[in-house]
Amino acid sequence: MSTGTLTIDLDALARNWRALDALSAGPVETGAVVKGNGYGMGAAQVATALARAGARKFFIATVEEGAAVRQALGDGPEICVFSGHMAGDSTMIYDLKLVPMINSIDQMLRHVEMTPGHPFGIQLDTGMNRLGMEAAEWAALREIALQQNPRLIMSHLACADEPDHPMNAHQLKNFKEMTEGLSVPRSLAATGGILLGPDYHFDVTRAGVGMYGGLPFAAAENVITLDLPVIQVREVEPGETVGYGNSWTAEAPAKIATLSAGYADGLHRAFAKGAHVFAGETPCPLRGRISMDLITAEVTHLPKVPESLTLMGPQQNTDVLADLGGTIGYELFTSLGARYKRQYLGA
Ligand SMILES: *Cc1c(COP(=O)(O)O)cnc(C)c1O
């Protein structure tokens, strides 16, 4: 076994979904976002576990992501597509029973022409300027769209991970103005919006990163553990260097372990400064640069070097690593390497 093992705890994932669900009161339905191959963890396994936990509404980015999710879920649960109804999507929308979130008048016309009577939702832009209809476009389409019975009207918050950001209240106000008096179910909140409180919950929430154990859901349980096999251990003398560019020099006799994983597996080169691998709870600092398939760590202080060391886990989670890499947990989740062996616990 020479590739890393990514262990995905589906029970922890389900508990995180339930914890987010418990934050909204009463009849609010908590959906589950499984785009990006279930944030890198495997859309089919993740969707199956969440359906077992009680999720009935799933969200993906593009229709191409729908096949694996529909196959895993069977016919019942609703699968909504953020990118809406693009040219070439109609067959998959129909066959896989996907619900496109219509983003423009053009998409609405395409939907009615290509898949008449097929369920759809509406996506509105309340200020993020990324997806969805702006107020004027929505005003022009509104009557026609409502006659076709949309399943859901949604919008997305740009700054929900900053609770005090004035953009949140601004978008909330816009969303209310654009949807006032309609009897269609509404959705505004992703993980950050759920944490902003009940004003933001409406009828359906769209839990994403928090279920997978990431910020801004600080109370989330850790879901993934990444163990990397030790290929080789060597002694280096004072003055010897390790890795490309001689970027680390031993000042005292040291023991260096070479582990199987590198930037081709999503390990950002910026992790080299500050990240550790762990033998149980004992941290071992990375030494030298991260290369394509290998990293090197100092294990001088370990009485015995284990067969593998842990890079991601409760000891050092995705958000800690993301910080070192100048990025966010989302990017690390979705960069988890294709070479890792994925193993699933629970559900
Ligand atoms: C990705 C995404 C979500 C989920 O966001 P999280 O921050 O991961 O909870 C919800 N809605 C839309 C439109 C998205 O693009």
Side-chain angles (χ1 to χ4, degrees):
M1 190 67 201
S2 67
T3 63
T5 300
L6 190 63
T7 305
I8 296 147
D9 185 343
L10 295 173
D11 288 337
L13 171 88
R15 284 193 293 274
N16 286 336
W17 180 80
R18 285 202 198 92
L20 288 166
D21 182 49
L23 292 177
S24 0
V28 177
E29 178 176 1
T30 303
V33 181
V34 297
K35 65 188 181 188
N37 190 27
Y39 287 49
M41 297 181 200
Q45 290 85 348
V46 157
T48 304
L50 293 169
R52 245 173 238 162
R56 303 300 291 162
K57 215 184 264 305
F58 292 81
F59 294 89
I60 53 178
T62 66
V63 296
E64 284 77 9
E65 295 184 314
V69 178
R70 177 56 79 205
Q71 197 182 358
L73 292 174
D75 257 355
E78 194 160 279
I79 303 174
C80 303
V81 186
F82 292 139
S83 61
H85 194 146
M86 305 270 287
D89 285 354
S90 308
T91 306
M92 272 195 280
I93 285 172
Y94 183 82
D95 289 349
L96 298 169
K97 301 187 173 65
L98 305 177
V99 181
M101 295 289 124
I102 299 297
N103 286 299
S104 62
I105 291 177
D106 281 352
Q107 286 201 349
M108 189 75 238
L109 295 175
R110 181 178 298 123
H111 188 75
V112 174
E113 184 186 342
M114 300 299 288
T115 50
H118 189 88
F120 68 98
I122 296 284
Q123 189 158 190
L124 301 178
D125 177 51
T126 50
M128 188 174 184
N129 286 309
R130 191 179 68 169
L131 279 179
M133 285 177 254
E134 302 204 6
E137 199 175 7
W138 174 229
L141 188 69
R142 191 175 150 121
E143 288 317 310
I144 300 163
L146 291 174
Q147 279 164 16
Q148 311 275 329
N149 288 320
R151 292 274 181 100
L152 187 70
I153 300 186
M154 63 167 279
S155 187
H156 194 50
L157 297 169
C159 303
D161 58 345
E162 297 175 57
D164 299 327
H165 202 295
M167 185 68 166
N168 296 319
H170 173 71
Q171 287 191 264
L172 177 63
K173 180 169 165 286
N174 286 347
F175 190 57
K176 282 184 173 160
E177 280 171 11
M178 290 167 90
T179 60
E180 215 153 61
L182 304 183
S183 54
V184 182
R186 292 183 286 179
S187 175
L188 181 62
T191 302
I194 295 173
L195 298 169
L196 291 177
D199 286 354
Y200 289 82
H201 294 173
F202 295 91
D203 304 294
V204 175
T205 60
R206 307 185 304 270
V209 73
M211 306 189 296
Y212 301 98
L215 289 174
F217 189 31
E221 265 185 68
N222 187 70
V223 174
I224 57 168
T225 307
L226 177 59
D227 295 306
L228 305 178
V230 175
I231 302 176
Q232 225 186 337
V233 181
R234 77 183 68 246
E235 315 275 347
V236 298
E237 297 300 323
E240 282 195 272
T241 56
V242 172
Y244 282 123
N246 290 0
S247 71
W248 185 78
T249 306
E251 282 169 8
K255 209 188 276 181
I256 297 291
T258 303
L259 298 106
S260 174
Y263 58 76
D265 304 289
L267 304 186
H268 211 292
R269 288 173 77 251
F271 297 165
K273 284 212 169 51
H276 294 81
V277 286
F278 290 78
E281 295 300 316
T282 309
C284 309
L286 298 196
R287 297 301 192 205
R289 286 191 192 159
I290 291 177
S291 38
M292 188 186 291
D293 318 295
L294 298 166
I295 58 174
T296 34
E298 179 163 2
V299 293
T300 318
H301 54 304
L302 296 184
K304 183 174 182 299
V305 182
E307 281 180 11
S308 66
L309 294 162
T310 305
L311 179 70
M312 280 184 209
Q315 310 95 321
Q316 176 179 257
N317 69 20
T318 319
D319 288 302
V320 171
L321 281 173
D323 245 9
L324 292 172
T327 180
I328 53 174
Y330 297 76
E331 189 180 346
L332 256 64
F333 283 137
T334 52
S335 310
L336 291 168
R339 292 195 289 200
Y340 298 137
K341 171 177 185 272
R342 280 161 169 74
Q343 84 184 8
Y344 294 89
L345 298 181

